[in-house]
Amino acid sequence: MAPFFQTKLSLFVFLPVTLFLGWAVWNLPAASILLFVALLPFFSGLKIQQGFTGKKLLLLVIYFLVFKFFWVFGQVFWLKDVTYDTFFAAVLTHTVCFFLVQIPSLILFSRRTDDLPYYVFILCWILFEFLMQSFSLLSPFYILGSSLGDYPFLIQSYRLIGIEGGTAWILLTNFFLFKVVHSFVSKDVNKRNNYKLLLPVCAPLLLSLVLSVFKQESGKKIKVAALHTDFNPVNEYYGLHPDVIIDSLWDLSHGIDQHTDVLLWPETVVTNLGWMQELYRNALIDSLQNGLKEYPKLNLTFGANIHTIPTDNTDQRLNYNRQYDFYFYVHNAAFTLNHKDPVVFRSKEIFVPFQEEVPYVRTFPSLKQLITVVGNPNFYCEYEHDTDQHRTPAGITYVPLLCYEVCYPLFTSRVSKDVDFIAVLGNEHWNTSQKGSRIYFNILRTIAVQNAVPVVKSSNNGISVICNAEGEVIAEKSFHDTGLLTGEISAKDGNAFYSYISGYSYIASLILLLYLLVRKKKLKID
């Protein structure tokens, strides 16, 4: 086949097919299963271009850049309906960072014609997903392993290998199928060597099927309730009269009974809880605790904005009130009350970049001009003197995570240890695209499976859900179908195996990548 025709084939046939499959995965319901084949045409295009040097190397560079740019474009396509600024920022930052991480594989593709560059490509992809959880300018919303929430029976092995293992599984499956197809087309006599990949490809699936058959819920039973609302969080009236919103929320929660253990309200649904310095003499909290006297078992956990007074008015994380000419911090926190114990709270630790906070704003204060407020007109920062684990009067423990935090697989693995369930408080009123909420919903289910822990979510718009540790939905309300969800979950029965080895694939990938790059001249890979 002529080199010119080969190049045309890779750029104008294989790449568009890859990009269509990538778009379909994130934008069509239940299409995430296509991820197991979505990279086959991309790998075929790479095979054609292997060994390109000199000026032809530029084509390989363009191939990489175009692939990632439009792959991310398809992933975040829904975000354009919310904010174009964040949409384009996500596309550009993910494309640039992915390309930089993939430079070792790019170099190898130009120099070698064996399988080594593909393995390096896979290792670099896995390491890029670690960067997505560690670098504030990126987002873990599109980790490959998090995409399979529509198929909980398929991902039960996540409690052993984690979402990070799911990413490796997807990538290796694509590469295995590519090898099989390429060997068949090229009539490769050594095609039996391809089946060395069968173990990492088949083992997660077999484990999932076995665990799905022999699942059991032996933990203590917990009766939970989650309120699904559709309030406008930027309504100034609610900020000036928080008692009105609290009374409305309490009226909407009358479906609870004396046996309910935990009631959840959404994130920042109370837009102004006052000052942290006055928390323990707060009239709103006193009013709620008086109402809770009728429910001796109940914990109420809700999200609210609360403020603190700064000692340094030069901090770039501060908010400014022009009317009264003063600076203040705003904290996004989950507050837990019951009829007898002092109020406890947990402050949000991880914020949506350029929507809730500006990453590295102290170092680069000019970045503050780039923020796009879509959910709340505040710059947030963490309040560190909080409590991660919340406990009911009956001794049930849970960690209240605030919206975006639950998208981080490594973070959830750490904070969900030794709790009975995860409580998620969400605010999706800003999200005018239902696709984004569906992606978020599926991420939440994979988090439940990975950590073998039930998840209960109360959201303002979007999707509220009660799901068990297998990622199966017990109850659900979505978008404008507001009201109270109630259900019974089984407390987590011990930590998942993955919780003891979380991050293993990133460490292993880094070690193996360094080894391959150092020893590449001595390696012979079929």
Side-chain angles (χ1 to χ4, degrees), residues 74-376:
Q75 288 177 320
V76 301
F77 188 71
W78 62 273
L79 194 55
K80 68 176 179 56
D81 296 330
V82 181
T83 161
Y84 277 100
D85 293 350
T86 305
F87 168 68
F88 285 115
V91 172
L92 291 175
T93 53
H94 279 72
T95 300
V96 171
C97 290
F98 181 82
F99 179 77
L100 293 175
V101 171
Q102 286 289 354
I103 285 176
S105 68
L106 182 64
I107 294 172
L108 287 176
F109 273 114
S110 69
R111 295 182 178 179
R112 298 182 64 128
T113 58
D114 58 7
D115 289 345
L116 178 61
Y118 294 93
Y119 287 112
V120 172
F121 175 85
I122 290 170
L123 294 174
C124 288
W125 189 308
I126 293 170
L127 290 172
F128 175 70
E129 291 199 351
F130 174 74
L131 196 63
M132 290 165 72
Q133 298 185 67
S134 310
F135 185 41
S136 296
L137 292 176
L138 299 175
S139 170
F141 208 68
Y142 302 101
I143 287 176
L144 291 184
S146 296
S147 65
L148 299 175
D150 267 320
Y151 305 94
F153 72 93
L154 198 65
I155 59 172
Q156 294 305 308
S157 58
Y158 279 15
R159 68 182 73 176
L160 301 174
I161 65 174
I163 290 171
E164 58 185 281
T167 291
W169 179 32
I170 291 170
L171 292 171
L172 287 172
T173 301
N174 273 274
F175 184 56
F176 168 71
L177 294 176
F178 159 72
K179 290 273 289 177
V180 171
V181 172
H182 182 264
S183 296
F184 178 78
V185 171
S186 63
K187 299 179 181 180
D188 184 0
V189 296
N190 294 318
K191 60 185 178 181
R192 284 180 295 181
N193 290 330
N194 299 336
Y195 296 98
K196 295 175 182 178
L197 285 168
L198 270 178
L199 180 60
V201 167
C202 294
L205 176 60
L206 294 175
L207 279 171
S208 291
L209 295 177
V210 170
L211 291 171
S212 294
V213 171
F214 294 100
K215 66 182 179 182
Q216 58 179 359
E217 296 184 350
S218 57
K220 58 187 174 184
K221 301 300 180 181
I222 306 170
K223 191 166 185 179
V224 295
L227 187 61
H228 185 67
T229 64
D230 191 19
F231 291 107
N232 183 359
V234 296
N235 189 322
E236 291 185 4
Y237 181 80
Y238 294 144
L240 296 173
H241 303 280
D243 55 314
V244 173
I245 193 73
I246 286 176
D247 290 343
S248 298
L249 294 167
W250 191 246
D251 289 341
L252 292 170
S253 303
H254 279 169
I256 60 173
D257 59 32
Q258 299 292 319
H259 303 290
T260 306
D261 293 291
V262 178
L263 167 64
L264 302 180
W265 291 347
E267 178 194 34
T268 62
V269 70
V270 180
T271 57
N272 179 14
L273 194 59
W275 297 96
M276 185 68 77
Q277 289 86 348
E278 299 177 348
L279 180 62
Y280 295 101
R281 52 181 181 181
N282 187 300
L284 298 172
I285 288 178
D286 290 343
S287 173
L288 284 171
Q289 286 184 314
N290 286 332
L292 288 168
K293 289 179 180 178
E294 298 180 26
Y295 304 93
K297 289 186 62 179
L298 183 66
N299 260 22
L300 167 63
T301 299
F302 65 95
N305 290 330
I306 196 163
H307 312 87
T308 54
I309 301 171
T311 57
D312 177 12
N313 286 350
T314 64
D315 193 334
Q316 294 293 334
R317 299 173 304 165
L318 287 169
N319 294 263
Y320 176 66
N321 186 299
R322 294 183 180 277
Q323 182 179 358
Y324 297 103
D325 188 28
F326 72 91
Y327 292 88
F328 58 98
Y329 292 113
V330 181
H331 310 287
N332 180 346
F335 293 86
T336 293
L337 315 174
N338 58 49
H339 77 288
K340 66 173 185 176
D341 297 321
V343 59
V344 293
F345 63 92
R346 179 184 171 273
S347 179
K348 192 171 187 177
E349 298 179 36
I350 305 174
F351 301 97
V352 181
F354 296 106
Q355 291 184 22
E356 295 179 319
E357 70 155 3
V358 180
Y360 317 113
V361 69
R362 287 176 163 177
T363 307
F364 305 104
S366 59
L367 291 176
K368 199 169 184 179
Q369 305 304 315
L370 302 178
I371 195 167
T372 301
V373 176
V374 294
N376 214 308

Side-chain angles (χ1 to χ4, degrees), residues 396-413:
I396 295 166
T397 59
Y398 58 99
V399 54
L401 299 183
L402 289 146
C403 205
Y404 186 59
E405 293 180 317
V406 81
C407 300
Y408 285 74
L410 288 178
F411 175 76
T412 60
S413 175

